[in-house]
Amino acid sequence: CDSCPTFLSGESSSDDNNGVLAVVFFVILVFLVFIGLFFAMAALVAWMQKVAQRYLALKELKVLTGEYIVKDLSELEKQYSLYSNGQDLEQGNVEPSAPAHRATMWVPMMPQ
């Protein structure tokens, strides 16, 4: 039969085989490009999430640090040195920092 393919007899034309191989190669190439684009997009989204999380963490840290007021303790040290190395504190000329009723209250932890 002249119209039948002759793949089994070995008399096939190389032009037909080259065309088929080119189409298969092109389909595989397009498939690999789409897979590469998919993974590139996934990596880009992951990177953007990481950057956004870091930005929000720094923004929250900035808000939290704005809530706390830092007191300069060097002023307290200067006031304490004015009391002549604590002599006025020992004599009772300065008010205690804790209320007196709480300072004298004692509750045993274990029965005796």
Side-chain angles (χ1 to χ4, degrees):
C1 159
D2 292 333
S3 64
C4 295
T6 57
F7 292 117
L8 298 176
S9 64
E11 298 176 4
S12 63
S13 65
S14 62
D15 293 336
D16 290 340
N17 287 342
N18 287 340
V20 171
L21 287 176
V23 170
V24 170
F25 177 73
F26 182 72
V27 169
I28 291 173
L29 182 66
V30 169
F31 180 71
L32 290 176
V33 167
F34 279 124
I35 289 176
L37 288 175
F38 175 76
F39 280 110
M41 291 296 287
L44 180 67
V45 169
W47 175 76
M48 288 174 60
Q49 282 181 334
K50 193 174 195 179
V51 168
Q53 285 176 350
R54 178 148 173 88
Y55 172 75
L56 291 175
L58 289 174
K59 189 174 180 180
E60 183 179 356
L61 186 63
K62 185 177 180 180
V63 169
L64 286 175
T65 56
E67 291 178 4
Y68 295 99
I69 298 172
V70 178
K71 185 174 183 179
D72 188 12
L73 296 179
S74 64
E75 295 175 8
L76 292 175
E77 186 177 324
K78 291 176 187 175
Q79 289 177 359
Y80 184 74
S81 65
L82 292 176
Y83 290 124
S84 327
N85 293 330
Q87 291 175 358
D88 287 343
L89 291 174
E90 293 173 1
Q91 294 172 359
N93 295 337
V94 179
E95 293 183 24
S97 61
H101 70 278
R102 293 199 185 248
T104 58
M105 186 185 308
W106 180 77
V107 178
M109 295 299 287
M110 295 180 64
Q112 294 180 354

